[in-house]
Amino acid sequence: RSVPAGSEVSQESLLLHGPFARKPKRIRTAFSPSQLLRLERAFEKNHYVVGAERKQLASSLSLSETQVP
């Protein structure tokens, strides 16, 4: 089978960028004991911390919003 010039794709490229490519692993956050306590208390009140509450909780714990589970 012939391949048109300029359209060759390496196997490595397919593995890194193909439809089933793995996302890089997210670095796990190591929470301090006091952060864990505050997060657990917030979770007890509401299992889904979202919006302004999430932003405020993240800020008060010196975490990014994405680090607040």
Side-chain angles (χ1 to χ4, degrees):
R1 151 179 138 177
S2 65
V3 178
S7 67
E8 293 179 14
V9 178
S10 72
Q11 289 287 40
E12 183 180 359
S13 179
L14 283 175
L15 290 172
L16 294 175
H17 306 292
F20 303 108
R22 290 186 182 181
K23 292 181 182 178
K25 282 192 173 184
R26 186 173 61 87
I27 297 171
R28 256 189 129 136
T29 303
F31 298 109
S32 71
S34 61
Q35 287 173 326
L36 275 175
L37 187 61
R38 295 266 313 271
L39 289 167
E40 287 170 353
R41 285 182 181 161
F43 183 77
E44 285 174 9
K45 290 180 190 173
N46 185 0
H47 288 276
Y48 298 99
V49 183
V50 293
E53 185 181 0
R54 181 186 195 112
K55 186 177 256 185
Q56 191 277 329
L57 183 59
S59 177
S60 70
L61 294 172
S62 300
L63 297 170
S64 70
E65 286 183 60
T66 57
Q67 290 175 307
V68 175

